[in-house]
């Protein structure tokens, strides 16, 4: 953040917090002990880094729940966004059909009474300004 300070008047950032994709994370935990969903930092850490870099600003949070009829719709959307598992502890190699079936069964526990599967996002908005 320090290098962004010099040429900046106001900056708006959007990031997701550690509770993002909690349903997917929980379903994968029922399959194996690997890390399948990225770990995201919390708002306090991002805000502290911004303040330490000399910015002033505010942060606010919103919970967003996306709805899907099938798990493959969510995974296809994540793939289209370019999401990749970058964590240590991630599995090596391909995920077989048996593990995918276990994942689907685990995710079904989150199906809403109205028939849709949720994907929760903990969204944070940060507005930073350089003090005069």
């Amino acid at each position: 953040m320090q290098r962004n300070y010099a040429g900046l008047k106001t900056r708006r950032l959007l990031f997701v917090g550690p509770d993002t994709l909690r349903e997917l994370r929980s379903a994968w935990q029922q399959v194996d002990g690997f890390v399948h969903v990225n770990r995201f930092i919390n708002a306090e850490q991002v805000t502290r880094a911004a303040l330490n870099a000399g910015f002033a600003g505010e942060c606010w949070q919103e919970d967003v729940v996306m709805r899907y009829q099938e798990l493959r719709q969510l995974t296809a959307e994540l793939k289209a966004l370019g999401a990749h598992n970058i964590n240590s502890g991630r599995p090596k190699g391909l995920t077989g059909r048996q593990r995918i079936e276990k994942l689907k069964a685990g995710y079904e526990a989150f199906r809403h009474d109205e028939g849709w599967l949720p994907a929760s996002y903990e969204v944070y908005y940060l507005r930073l300004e350089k003090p005069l």
Side-chain angles (χ1 to χ4, degrees):
M1 286 221 190
Q2 198 72 37
R3 66 186 142 155
N4 291 327
Y5 187 80
L8 191 63
K9 291 186 179 173
T10 299
R11 182 166 187 125
R12 291 172 179 85
L13 302 173
L14 176 134
F15 61 97
V16 293
D19 211 23
T20 294
L21 298 174
R22 65 180 169 266
E23 301 89 356
L24 186 59
R25 183 178 296 107
S26 176
W28 270 119
Q29 288 171 346
Q30 295 176 40
V31 175
D32 59 37
F34 292 111
V35 178
H36 293 271
V37 178
N38 287 332
R39 296 178 180 119
F40 303 103
I41 62 175
N42 64 39
E44 183 180 325
Q45 292 170 299
V46 174
T47 303
R48 190 175 329 115
L51 294 175
N52 288 342
F55 291 102
E58 62 180 326
C59 179
W60 62 99
Q61 189 255 338
E62 174 183 19
D63 292 319
V64 176
V65 178
M66 303 296 293
R67 299 175 180 190
Y68 302 91
Q69 293 302 312
E70 297 181 31
L71 179 59
R72 69 182 151 103
Q73 293 171 310
L74 166 61
T75 58
E77 187 170 282
L78 292 172
K79 185 176 183 178
L81 289 171
H84 296 288
N85 185 348
I86 60 171
N87 293 292
S88 60
R90 67 183 177 268
K92 306 288 187 246
L94 300 175
T95 303
R97 181 181 305 267
Q98 189 175 30
R99 288 172 61 205
I100 293 295
E101 291 303 319
K102 286 182 182 179
L103 171 65
K104 287 162 71 174
Y107 210 99
E108 280 297 319
F110 296 101
R111 188 171 290 280
H112 192 271
D113 291 341
E114 295 175 9
W116 47 268
L117 292 168
S120 298
Y121 290 84
E122 181 182 26
V123 181
Y124 288 93
Y125 305 92
L126 188 61
R127 186 181 56 78
L128 301 173
E129 293 182 349
K130 209 171 14 173
L132 300 177

